[in-house]
Amino acid sequence: MPGPSLTPRETAVLAAVERRLSNPEIATELFISVRTVESHIASLKRKLGADTRVELMSAARDQRERQTTVRLPRNAFVGRETDLERLAGLFAEHRWITVTGSGGVGKTRLALEFAVRGSAERAPVVVELEHAGPGDVVARIARALDLEAAPGADVTTSLALALASHPYLLVLDNADRVGAAVGEIVARLQASAPELHVLATSRTPIGDAAEAVLTLAPLDVDGPDSAALAMFLDRLSSAGRAAAAPMTLSTSAPATADRQVAARVCARLDGLPLALELAAAVVRHLSLEELAERLDRDFATLDRAVPEGRHRTLETAFDWSWDLLTDEEREVLRRLAALPRTFDVDLAAAVTHPGAEGVVLRLLDHSLLVPAGGRPRRFRLLAVMREFVHARTDPVVIREVLQQHAEYLASTTQGFVRQARIDDSPQAHHVSETLCPEVNAALRWALAAGHPAALRLASSLSIGVEQYGSDVDSVRTLAMAARDDVVLASASPEQLLLLGNALLFLDVELVGELAERALVLAGDSDDDRARLAARHLAGAADAYREREASALEHLAVAEELATALGDQWELASVRQMRGIAHLHAAPRQTERALVEFEAAMRGYALAGDTMHVNNARFMMAFAAAESGLEPDRAARWASECVDYARSVGNTHELAHACLVQARLHPESPAEADNIDSLIATFRRLGDLRCLTRSLLLQARTVSPEASVGLLEQALSVAETAGDRGHQVTALERLVDAHRALGDGVRTQVALGRLEAITRSDAAVAAPA
């Protein structure tokens, strides 16, 4: 129930009574007579039903609690419990905390929740400053306290006295535009009210020495139980109850596919709470899948009729921040938004102007950039903010920045890749994990623009993918580069070899085309390096295409050239390829392959490349496991590979080793789960050969009915990779599975496909 209506003067007198001031002391403080004080106290006793001064003090506390009730939104508060704990921890050491963060990140909601739950002993006083000017701050705080000073009195002094009467939490919401005024008034209030705690929200820190800052990040989007997904599902439920049509997503037990689409929406929106709220509102009118498809194109769908104000759309929310920037800050932000991914301070300076480092730091203070990890520190714009800024950027500027980005990476990655063969440290892996996606993005632009930096970028990315582990997007981009006329026109045999090595497990037929080109370029050249690269690449392509004789012929020439040049790394790589050729021979020459792999290991060790030492060891383990020879040695080699991969953080090599372990014990329940994980990992890495092996292995552990689907998947992947050997294996086992199920029609279809591949392989192998 609302309390009795008190005049501002009665409120001031009541606050003084609660502080145990006498009537003369109240009169002095408020610049009124003692008789006037007595009159106000009589009125207060009547209105509050108090007979004594003690009862009046108790009524004052009740009145204050009613006045300071915080109105919270009705929807669930999701994903910010840790942030509430962080706030409480900061208030244990500081009296003034400012919560900063981008527009729509949930600063106000966190502050209000903390006012209700995080500071039980403090009465919250919430002051909204969104539309306030610098001269309005004091008046708004006074209004929140229902306090009016006497004519001629200093309102700030009256505020300080009122706020000193009780432990208060003063919440100053949306202080962005009045930071200087807030800093001044908070300093004065806390000087007179030592128990006063202040919680401000602003996109930029106020900048006072007494202020502690808590930066609020968007909600986490990783994993099936992420905070962003939990919030989105909650808001979908609310939107569904209000919808005229039934929801497509049940939030009580959403289907796996629906949760995956919802998770995709959350990731696209970077977990920004306002964006999630707007997206959930749209689902009243569109299906979840339609929403996801539209968000993949742009964010124009995120609009709503109410409420009016800066949170009606992302546009209005970000306009608030945009208006606070200087012209220089806007220009730098435009150029940073044009970058395709993340950036460090050096890259930011390279695409803006010398001395822009300070502007970048100011943009971080404005919460327009967010940390992206890494060392040196990297930053990015949220996707929704990037699109907002792009709409305010000349396309000519965007093209210019993308060119600068490509040229910068083409230059700066050279030093890193020169050391890649001999540096497999965890630090190098971390750098590669950062650089590969960046180089990939730059390469895609360079290919589309026909820029000459594409070849250097493709060469660097090839080494990164081969040496530190791949990702499917990077190897697909390399495949685009391997088919690009501009790249091919200027590529040397050495550069074609780098491309081919990175693509062997994705598309061996494409590698064969690169090899043919390299052989033509090398021709009768007296450049031994070019001839070595061409023969090496041709041998690798033929080894993987199961053309043993041709592969060994090319590799023998390559070995002679590598020996003459004294190139230990190339010599080791040639021997490793010769081992692969023996494995793919008919019949398989496992013992000879093991000898070559062992020689390759010694050569890589002499060259200082411990990653490839491990890779050759993996091939030994896999060959032994596949053939059934020396399973104990295969297990030991695989275990050594696991230890190595974990020590340096190489995900690709770890997956290779785990594949051998699963091959050795396919019936183990633990390994069955491991195979599921390996399938997902090899898909993510873009390693189609090992993905095929994993699918074939899993097909051995299930019923004939279930194996058919896995074998069809394996066949499809092998066809994409140009992997004839695994195509044959998949078809042979499909024939057996269909026969076991008594399906004569499908058995004949599989036999027909198998015979077609066999005839094709025979035609290729036949002498001219």
Side-chain angles (χ1 to χ4, degrees), residues 538-539 542-543 547-555:
D542 282 347
R547 301 174 185 176
E548 183 192 19
S550 176
L552 293 178
E553 180 183 342
H554 287 302
L555 293 172

Side-chain angles (χ1 to χ4, degrees), residues 4 52 174 258 300 306 309 337 422 425 438 479 516 603 618 620 630 674:
T52 66
N174 296 308
D258 287 335
V306 291
I422 57 173
S425 65
E438 300 294 339
E516 291 173 11
F618 149 69
M620 292 173 67
E630 303 182 85
N674 190 26

Side-chain angles (χ1 to χ4, degrees), residues 3-198:
S5 177
L6 304 183
T7 67
R9 178 66 73 197
E10 287 172 342
T11 300
V13 170
L14 185 61
V17 169
E18 189 181 9
R19 287 160 43 222
R20 300 178 182 275
L21 297 185
S22 66
N23 286 2
E25 289 171 331
I26 295 172
T28 300
E29 183 175 287
L30 298 181
F31 301 98
I32 57 178
S33 67
V34 174
R35 185 177 295 277
T36 301
V37 172
E38 292 171 348
S39 174
H40 283 312
I41 288 176
S43 176
L44 286 167
K45 286 181 177 179
R46 183 174 64 256
K47 288 183 176 181
L48 299 175
D51 294 327
T52 66
R53 209 172 181 92
V54 172
E55 291 177 355
L56 199 59
M57 292 169 64
S58 177
R61 286 191 291 272
D62 294 339
Q63 180 76 2
R64 182 184 64 251
E65 290 172 1
R66 284 192 291 268
Q67 290 175 340
T68 57
T69 297
V70 178
R71 296 179 60 185
L72 289 173
R74 294 181 181 179
N75 51 30
F77 180 66
V78 179
R80 296 295 192 193
E81 296 301 329
T82 299
D83 294 306
L84 283 178
E85 293 173 3
R86 290 170 62 203
L87 261 181
L90 285 172
F91 270 123
E93 299 181 5
H94 303 276
R95 296 168 57 205
W96 176 7
I97 313 296
T98 298
V99 178
T100 64
S102 62
V105 80
K107 301 182 294 293
T108 295
R109 181 63 182 273
L110 178 68
L112 295 180
E113 291 286 344
F114 183 81
V116 171
R117 297 198 276 161
S119 188
E121 75 281 4
R122 296 185 177 277
V125 178
V126 179
V127 183
E128 173 56 62
L129 298 174
E130 179 177 345
H131 299 295
D136 301 328
V137 175
V138 171
R140 292 205 175 202
I141 299 173
R143 192 178 309 130
L145 289 167
D146 202 11
L147 180 66
E148 181 179 321
D154 181 359
V155 180
T156 303
T157 299
S158 298
L159 284 177
L161 290 168
L163 291 170
S165 66
H166 183 84
Y168 280 100
L169 174 67
L170 179 61
V171 180
L172 302 176
D173 194 24
N174 296 308
D176 310 74
R177 296 177 185 268
V178 290
V182 164
E184 181 181 346
I185 184 61
V186 169
R188 292 185 62 185
L189 292 176
Q190 290 193 323
S192 301
E195 294 299 315
L196 175 64
H197 281 188
V198 175

